[in-house]
Amino acid sequence: MFFYLLPAIFFGWSLGANDAANIFGTAVSNRVVKYRIATIISAIFILVGAILGGAKGIETISNVTSQSLLSGSISVLSAAITVTVMTYFGVPVSSSQAIVGSIMAVGLIEGGVNWGIITKLVLAWVGTPIGGAIFGYLSYIILSIPFNKIKSIYVKERVVQIATLVIGAYGAYSLGANNVANITGAFASSIGVSMAALVGGLAISFGVLTYSYKVMMTVGKQIIELDYFSALIAVLGESITVWIYALLGIPVSTSQAIVGAVIGAGFARGSRLTNKKVLLKIVVAWVNTPVSAGLITSLIYFLFKVVFKINI
């Protein structure tokens, strides 16, 4: 069984290494929080989120189509390859969209896809950046009022530092609760929901602890100009969006949620959108990622079935 789960462990490690930057990247790159503290908080709360809040999302992914251990392994491997290759070439990619495309491909080949769930997932993809923008905007409007009443610069800095840790922990919890389904949801029918949540949570946490430094230190390039407070609010907007979808059992892209939240917080602050191409990239990713993952899955599936004569 462990052999079949290896692609999920790799996928989770990759997701953790990349997506932790959506939570603590700005704070770490600007030295508001130390890198090691950020990774420890992220790892702990990602695991807690996966265990306590990941069940609904795992059940959603597991019900897209019926999966064996081998077909689930192929789906997750294909999604991991898609994310790795597209990230290498700088193409926008979402782990949520990659795994859905992979699982759909298996379902189409074997003749069974739950189109009701697929429709719900696609609508959520569209709603993710919109939700991030709404919550980013509203959070800034509401929280900037008491924050701006603080006269002492020192107190403001301390508030930002403490709030960064608290909101970061919440963001990590939301990430674990929502995205663990992408990692091990395909195996839920074989290993159980609880075990899937534990394995996926550990894999994502391991990625944060071992390989997130480079991404965190280079995440400072924003699509809109933000100060420390606005950047913090953007993480809050992203976290709320991702958490709500976790409660609904719908895995979504944290990267697209943070893009929306950054735009929302920036607009509330009065900043202008400086890189409009990012919106086009999100739309392209909605189509490009699941299609690419589906094609890779189909290739590997037929390779096993036709060339190696393995019964999937």
Side-chain angles (χ1 to χ4, degrees):
M1 182 181 290
F2 178 74
F3 175 78
Y4 290 114
L5 292 175
L6 284 177
I9 294 172
F10 169 67
F11 193 23
W13 174 84
S14 177
L15 188 151
N18 282 277
D19 284 13
N22 295 332
I23 302 167
F24 278 113
T26 302
V28 170
S29 62
N30 288 297
R31 304 183 187 279
V32 176
V33 176
K34 292 182 178 180
Y35 168 73
R36 185 47 58 190
I37 293 176
T39 56
I40 291 173
I41 290 175
S42 294
I44 291 172
F45 282 92
I46 283 172
L47 182 58
V48 172
I51 294 172
L52 297 183
K56 283 190 175 181
I58 289 173
E59 290 169 358
T60 296
I61 293 298
S62 68
N63 287 322
V64 171
T65 187
S66 59
Q67 294 267 40
S68 65
L69 269 174
L70 181 54
S71 66
S73 187
I74 291 173
S75 296
V76 174
L77 176 61
S78 302
I81 291 172
T82 302
V83 171
T84 302
V85 172
M86 293 178 74
T87 299
Y88 177 80
F89 286 107
V91 180
V93 62
S94 159
S95 61
S96 301
Q97 291 157 10
I99 192 62
V100 170
S102 296
I103 293 174
M104 269 190 67
V106 172
L108 290 172
I109 292 170
E110 297 185 348
V113 176
N114 189 325
W115 292 106
I117 293 178
I118 294 298
T119 301
K120 183 169 66 172
L121 290 168
V122 172
L123 290 174
W125 295 349
V126 177
T128 299
I130 295 173
I134 292 172
F135 286 116
Y137 183 88
L138 293 177
S139 296
Y140 186 95
I141 295 297
I142 294 169
L143 296 178
S144 64
I145 296 173
F147 182 77
N148 288 332
K149 289 182 178 179
I150 301 173
K151 301 301 181 183
S152 169
I153 295 178
Y154 172 77
V155 174
K156 276 191 172 182
E157 290 177 348
R158 292 297 293 170
V159 168
V160 168
Q161 190 172 41
I162 294 171
T164 297
L165 296 175
V166 174
I167 292 174
Y170 173 48
Y173 178 92
S174 300
L175 172 61
N178 189 284
N179 275 201
V180 69
N182 300 332
I183 308 307
T184 49
F187 300 99
S189 59
S190 300
I191 65 175
V193 173
S194 297
M195 182 58 69
L198 177 61
V199 172
L202 286 171
I204 299 171
S205 296
F206 185 63
V208 175
L209 289 171
T210 59
Y211 205 64
S212 61
Y213 182 79
K214 183 178 180 181
V215 181
M216 280 200 190
M217 295 306 294
T218 57
V219 79
K221 296 180 179 180
Q222 298 286 1
I223 58 172
I224 204 167
E225 186 179 352
L226 298 179
D227 55 19
Y228 289 161
F229 177 73
S230 303
L232 175 63
I233 292 299
V235 174
L236 177 60
E238 170 217 350
S239 302
I240 294 172
T241 303
V242 174
W243 179 61
I244 288 175
Y245 278 117
L247 293 177
L248 295 173
I250 306 175
V252 295
S253 169
T254 57
S255 298
Q256 294 180 4
I258 192 64
V259 167
V262 165
I263 292 174
F267 277 180
R269 180 174 177 261
S271 300
R272 290 185 176 181
L273 184 64
T274 57
N275 186 1
K276 296 179 181 179
K277 289 182 179 179
V278 73
L279 300 178
L280 177 61
K281 286 182 177 181
I282 288 178
V283 176
V284 170
W286 286 339
V287 178
N288 194 32
T289 302
V291 170
S292 299
L295 290 173
I296 293 173
T297 301
S298 301
L299 179 62
I300 296 176
Y301 186 97
F302 283 111
L303 191 65
F304 272 77
K305 192 94 170 179
V306 178
V307 179
F308 298 110
K309 307 295 182 181
I310 296 175
N311 186 19
I312 300 175

